[in-house]
């Protein structure tokens, strides 16, 4: 746990929380993951520095406090810099450290102490201080001890921040955040939320076939959703249905080839599945709504479409009961029925064929055929926007009158800038007040560019949303992120998830874990 807290602390010190960093940009960093980068032991000869993989430098053999890891820097006189470094020692209960500068002018060396801090045994500790250099010929920045001349110690993430727009020093090419190595085991999201609600993700079909990806998912998530594989366009067999329609226009043929790998894995490993989605205007073959399953022919009548709807829902749910009993614990019965412009029902093929009660009918059939205890959800986005929210609430009220709905799924595809936490909170409070079960079904939070600052803002919003849902833990079934790694997201350009493209946990991951504690 201490190691994990240390990672949290490190995540917290990235970016905006350091003094003077609001307007400053990182212009230099030693991550010690690609050599010593010019660092050497300042000493009379006894001290030695060496790399301590994956990202630290170790110094030993010291005989004086000033025997220290140091490096020459081309500092610009009169520029306000901020310096930070992390230090760790294992030999004393507490030891004091300083960042100092040795500057020389005409061969005469003089010194200033720039930052101080006390490091407890075994704990990475951040020293941080501001420095505006005077006029000298040479500057050596170094990390020394106070009254601990023989102490061996480690340093990492020596960083220099300078005014915005300033040229970067040597090794910084871009503001790419360095994700900190996780010491010890990665915390598990599902364990962090155990006893509160399920924490899950969606998984695209191709990754459901990867043992490695699924083993990772199994370690982190207690519930999974096939990202696209249970949508009508993956399940409805249009050719098969067309053949059946010659005999019976209400007949429907279905198959589950794309969803099977995920369902099989979940079944074998005791992972819950949330089904997405039975009835939707999108990702549903146009032919479904036409006579003879032929898009050249007119739309079918209400009676025929209700027959198709019932047959489709029945066959999907019966297949799941037979083949995957207990695996699918909940379903999005209807998705995104409310129009963003009018805040009324969307003018979809469902409305055009069945009519305005199509949502109620879908819930009626889902209740009729779902295994007992399966939770039935209506799922939608932009719930935080007042007009849309009104439309969603009106729809929920009408469906609730018939008693077949259990809950509401907030998609929550957000940006760090929008919507505000106040409006998200108001939306959750309002729908929670309707006494429906709740879930966050498709959480992701986009940023415009990868930077430490944006990673921190993203982490803060993830944390806020988790704390909000924890207030409703008794009423909430699950929070699910819409993807695992940023590069696999449906909006990869927004880096909206908890893990980066290499699978490293981002500050947002730790914020989600921390919110549960
Ligand atoms: O993540 C899904 C992406 O792979 C598909 O291309 C896309 C097609 O509509 O659907 C994405 O998932 C959507 C989900 O089914 C419903 N809510 C919005 C999601 C993001 O578009």
């Amino acid at each position: 746990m201490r190691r994990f807290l240390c990672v949290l602390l490190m995540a917290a010190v990235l970016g905006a929380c350091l003094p003077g960093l609001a307007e400053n940009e990182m212009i230099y960093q030693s991550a010690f993951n690609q050599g010593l980068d010019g660092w050497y032991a300042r000493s009379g000869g006894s001290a030695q520095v060496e790399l301590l993989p994956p990202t630290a430098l170790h110094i030993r053999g010291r005989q004086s406090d000033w025997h220290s890891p140091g490096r020459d820097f081309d500092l610009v006189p009169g520029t306000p810099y901020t310096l930070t470094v992390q230090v760790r020692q294992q030999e004393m209960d507490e030891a004091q450290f300083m960042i100092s500068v040795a500057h020389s002018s005409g061969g005469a060396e003089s010194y200033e102490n720039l930052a101080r801090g006390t490091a407890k045994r075994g704990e990475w500790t951040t020293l941080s201080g501001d420095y505006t250099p005077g006029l000298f010929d040479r500057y050596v920045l170094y990390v020394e001890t106070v009254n601990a001349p023989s102490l061996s110690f480690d340093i990492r993430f020596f960083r220099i921040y300078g005014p915005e727009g300033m040229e970067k020093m040597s090794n910084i090419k871009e503001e790419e955040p360095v994700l900190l190595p996780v010491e010890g085991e990665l915390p598990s999201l599902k364990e962090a939320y155990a006893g509160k609600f399920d924490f899950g993700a969606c998984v695209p079909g191709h990754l459901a076939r990867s043992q490695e990806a699924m083993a990772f998912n199994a370690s982190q998530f207690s519930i999974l959703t096939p990202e696209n594989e249970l949508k009508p366009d993956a399940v409805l067999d249009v050719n098969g249905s067309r053949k059946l329609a010659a005999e019976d226009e209400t007949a429907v043929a279905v198959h589950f080839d794309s969803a099977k790998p995920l369902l099989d894995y979940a079944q074998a490993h005791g992972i819950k599945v949330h089904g997405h989605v039975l009835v939707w205007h999108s990702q549903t073959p146009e032919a479904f709504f036409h006579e003879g399953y032929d898009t050249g022919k007119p739309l079918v009548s209400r009676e025929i479409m209700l027959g198709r709807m019932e047959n489709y829902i029945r066959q999907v749910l019966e297949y799941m009961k037979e083949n995957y009993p207990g695996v699918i614990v909940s379903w999005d019965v209807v998705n995104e029925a409310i129009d963003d412009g009018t805040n009324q029902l969307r003018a979809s093929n469902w409305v055009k064929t069945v009519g305005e009660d199509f949502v109620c009918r879908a819930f009626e059939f889902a209740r009729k055929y779902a295994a007992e205890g399966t939770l039935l959800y209506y799922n939608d986005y932009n719930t935080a926007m007042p007009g849309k929210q009104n439309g969603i609430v009106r729809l929920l009220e009408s469906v609730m009158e018939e008693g077949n709905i259990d809950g509401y799924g907030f998609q929550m595809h957000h940006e760090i800038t929008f919507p505000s936490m106040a409006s998200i909170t108001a939306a959750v409070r309002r729908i929670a007040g309707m006494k429906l079960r709740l879930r966050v079904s498709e959480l992701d939070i986009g940023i415009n560019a990868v930077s430490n600052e944006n990673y921190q803002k993203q982490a803060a919003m993830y944390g806020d949303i988790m704390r909000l849902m924890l207030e409703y833990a008794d009423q909430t079934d699950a929070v699910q992120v819409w993807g695992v790694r940023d590069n696999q997201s449906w909006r990869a350009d927004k880096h909206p998830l908890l893990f980066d493209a290499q699978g490293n946990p981002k500050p947002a991951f730790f914020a989600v874990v921390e919110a549960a504690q």
Side-chain angles (χ1 to χ4, degrees), residues 258-272:
S258 344
K260 272 181 191 162
L262 182 92
L263 294 171
D264 289 342
Y265 191 96
Q267 188 173 45
H269 294 82
I271 304 169
K272 297 175 192 171

Side-chain angles (χ1 to χ4, degrees), residues 40 65 85 119 242:
Y40 55 88
D65 278 320
V85 69
R242 192 173 297 133

Side-chain angles (χ1 to χ4, degrees), residues 241-242 244-245 247-253 288 293 307-308 311 315:
S241 300
R242 192 173 297 133
L244 297 176
E247 293 285 315
D248 174 4
E249 273 284 13
T250 67
V252 177
F288 195 24
Y293 288 87
R308 287 184 184 179
N311 282 330
Q315 289 176 91

Side-chain angles (χ1 to χ4, degrees), residues 227-228 231 276 280 282-283 335-336 411 413 442 482 490:
E227 184 170 3
N228 289 299
K231 293 175 178 176
H276 174 79
W280 191 18
S282 177
Q283 283 187 278
N335 192 35
E336 302 173 0
Q411 291 190 8
H413 295 293
E442 305 181 15
W482 203 242
W490 68 295

Side-chain angles (χ1 to χ4, degrees), residues 10 60 102 229 331 434:
M10 293 184 305
R60 59 191 165 84
E229 294 68 25
W331 272 98
M434 299 176 75

